[in-house]
Amino acid sequence: MQTKGRSKKTVLSELRKIREQDLKYESGRILCSMCTIPHPSAKMAHQLFLCSNLGDPGLFPGSLQLEKEVIRKLADLLNGKKSVGFIVSGGTEANLLALLAARNMANVSNPEVILPESAHFSFNKVCDLLRLKEVQASLDSSYRVDPLSVERCINKNTVAVIGTAGTAELGAIDPINKLSEIALDHGISLHVDAAFGGFIIPFLKGIGRDETSFDFQLEGVKSITVDPHKMGMSTIPAGGILFRDSACLEYIKTETPYLTEEFQYTFVGTRTGASVAATWAVFESLGVEGFQNTVKHCIELTMLLSSRLESRGFQLVSRPTLNIVAFRSSNSKVLAERLWRHGWFVSYVPRLDCIRIVVMPHLRRRHIMAFLKDLSKIAESHNILASL
Ligand code: 0PR
């Protein structure tokens, strides 16, 4: 660090220059992200609550009220009549809290968790931290967890099973209704990771598409992850964890002897109220109709992209259920690398040897059309065939 401070103007102008190196969602070239441009009201709300710390909520009763309201609205969206929860740092922390509760609730000496092959890698971190043994359940032909495989994995050490409502790789929705029955039959917790799908699935019915039940309506569902900083269009960091009822909180609480509240339930201590305010602002600004319109926009572009890819001969890994398209070519890895070099930022998924595109709200039809045009050119110039 230099001895003397520099003027605000100099500092900011340097920061602006450095910021130019970051990619911008507005360019329409970020096709590999589950985050997007926050809603304009979220950006302003975030600034307004920049100093707020929900780690010591007695000092910030306004922020606390906003968190309660946001959780109430999320609970309504997910049919959780008695649900409680928190806005946390992201899907990873939300999944951590869910499994912490499940493990402590079960209180067995060698706890195990059943993870579908398609579960997000955050669960690997969580299981490592919580010393939970991972048991992998296999998928069916449409990349949804096979309930029979789950049932075969259960033994006396099983504390929880994970179901995903919108997998990170394909946007697939596991048969949560079946998992719920299994969880109830065996007295284990079912945690639903709807980090991505939680802000999409509840709005599908309103736009005339099939809706799958994945939430607290199903009695076996103990907890749900649902992230405002993904399809919720809030600012980062905003993950969401909801529990079925307040009894679950007993298993994750830590005493905070000298703070303004007696217990903390989140993993992170000092935590921002800014993205809570931002989430509140998005809910107020959009309402159900606004979310429906956003979901409709993303799904329509997804359908456009997937059908055009198919007509160009590319093979879809599966029919998109949500706004994720995964496709293959004769050399998907090299094609993904070439696309990056040409400024199209897609993901390459090694497990499925495919390219993944997440059709987030920052994308427009013109971006999809420009991508398709470049894709064909790039594939051709590197002798990559659309078909396998
Ligand atoms: N569960 C699911 C189903 C997820 O998709 C993710 C993240 C998580 C949990 C973990 O959430 P946090 O990252 O908030 O802790 N899914 C994205 C992914 O892995 C995260 C992401 C976001 C990646 C933006 C890239 C990016 O640019 O694809």
Side-chain angles (χ1 to χ4, degrees):
M1 197 185 290
Q2 77 282 2
T3 318
K4 278 191 188 301
R6 294 193 289 170
S7 73
K8 186 171 106 184
K9 199 174 154 208
T10 321
V11 173
L12 282 177
S13 96
E14 188 141 337
L15 280 175
R16 279 196 194 96
K17 255 191 263 155
I18 297 171
R19 169 88 177 108
E20 284 308 306
Q21 295 171 27
D22 289 353
L23 302 180
K24 309 282 180 306
Y25 294 112
E26 288 82 350
S27 68
R29 288 180 165 262
I30 301 183
L31 307 176
C32 57
S33 175
M34 283 191 174
C35 296
T36 189
I37 309 167
H39 189 273
S41 68
K43 292 184 192 174
M44 291 169 84
H46 196 102
Q47 276 185 350
L48 208 57
F49 281 77
L50 213 54
C51 299
S52 138
N53 170 21
L54 281 168
D56 206 1
L59 303 179
F60 303 97
S63 305
L64 182 62
Q65 182 194 326
L66 289 182
E67 186 178 36
K68 288 196 170 134
E69 288 183 24
V70 162
I71 294 297
R72 189 66 260 140
K73 288 187 178 161
L74 278 176
D76 283 349
L77 195 65
L78 302 173
N79 294 300
K81 295 203 170 54
K82 294 184 185 165
S83 288
V84 291
F86 304 93
I87 296 300
V88 292
S89 56
T92 305
E93 187 183 353
N95 288 339
L96 171 76
L97 294 176
L99 284 188
L100 178 66
R103 186 198 69 177
N104 291 351
M105 205 180 299
N107 194 24
V108 302
S109 43
N110 296 303
E112 296 182 8
V113 173
I114 303 172
L115 292 179
E117 269 171 41
S118 54
H120 187 257
F121 59 79
S122 50
F123 288 106
N124 306 127
K125 298 183 190 175
V126 170
C127 289
D128 189 17
L129 278 170
L130 299 179
R131 296 192 174 278
L132 292 163
K133 182 179 167 195
E134 294 175 21
V135 182
Q136 207 171 63
S138 54
L139 308 182
D140 65 15
S141 57
S142 45
Y143 302 93
R144 294 150 34 107
V145 74
D146 173 6
L148 284 176
S149 165
V150 169
E151 208 142 26
R152 277 196 294 270
C153 294
I154 294 179
N155 64 39
K156 64 178 187 350
N157 294 322
T158 309
V159 299
V161 56
I162 306 299
T164 313
T167 59
E169 292 166 344
L170 296 177
I173 305 172
D174 286 330
I176 308 294
N177 54 346
K178 300 259 172 53
L179 298 184
S180 167
E181 283 167 22
I182 294 173
L184 289 173
D185 283 352
H186 295 271
I188 56 177
S189 293
L190 167 59
H191 171 62
V192 176
D193 181 358
F196 180 64
F199 277 104
I200 308 167
I201 305 164
F203 302 108
L204 289 177
K205 203 170 165 190
I207 61 166
R209 299 187 68 89
D210 286 350
E211 194 200 16
T212 331
S213 48
F214 73 105
D215 61 21
F216 291 116
Q217 249 173 358
L218 303 167
E219 253 179 79
V221 175
K222 259 284 190 299
S223 49
I224 302 180
T225 291
V226 50
D227 287 355
H229 70 198
K230 296 190 170 77
M231 283 296 287
M233 287 166 287
S234 186
T235 53
I236 300 171
I241 179 66
L242 266 80
F243 291 99
R244 183 164 204 93
D245 52 46
S246 58
C248 302
L249 298 185
E250 285 307 301
Y251 301 97
I252 59 166
K253 71 179 185 189
T254 301
E255 243 181 283
T256 49
Y258 52 87
L259 300 187
T260 53
E261 67 172 358
E262 224 181 321
F263 300 103
Q264 257 180 21
Y265 301 90
T266 53
F267 182 66
V268 172
T270 300
R271 64 186 176 102
T272 184
S275 36
V276 172
T279 306
W280 190 91
V282 184
F283 288 5
E284 291 300 307
S285 307
L286 288 183
V288 171
E289 274 179 17
F291 273 104
Q292 263 171 11
N293 290 339
T294 306
V295 168
K296 188 164 183 275
H297 166 77
C298 295
I299 297 281
E300 280 174 2
L301 283 189
T302 302
M303 295 308 149
L304 172 74
L305 174 62
S306 58
S307 67
R308 297 289 167 98
L309 282 169
E310 274 195 306
S311 60
R312 281 168 166 73
F314 291 98
Q315 185 201 71
L316 299 182
V317 176
S318 61
R319 235 83 329 263
T321 341
L322 302 179
N323 43 331
I324 295 184
V325 178
F327 67 97
R328 295 192 176 106
S329 68
S330 66
N331 195 339
S332 304
K333 188 159 191 264
V334 170
L335 182 56
E337 280 164 13
R338 304 293 165 190
L339 284 166
W340 267 76
R341 269 193 229 167
H342 285 83
W344 290 108
F345 305 103
V346 297
S347 318
Y348 171 71
V349 182
R351 198 177 68 84
L352 302 166
D353 185 29
C354 69
I355 291 175
R356 172 192 79 157
I357 291 178
V358 190
V359 185
M360 293 299 287
H362 57 263
L363 295 176
R364 299 281 168 269
R365 189 186 159 91
R366 66 175 187 280
H367 301 134
I368 299 293
M369 298 316 283
F371 168 75
L372 286 163
K373 204 169 147 202
D374 275 9
L375 173 71
S376 297
K377 267 199 273 171
I378 293 165
E380 217 176 273
S381 67
H382 294 92
N383 293 324
I384 295 169
L385 304 174
S387 56
L388 301 182

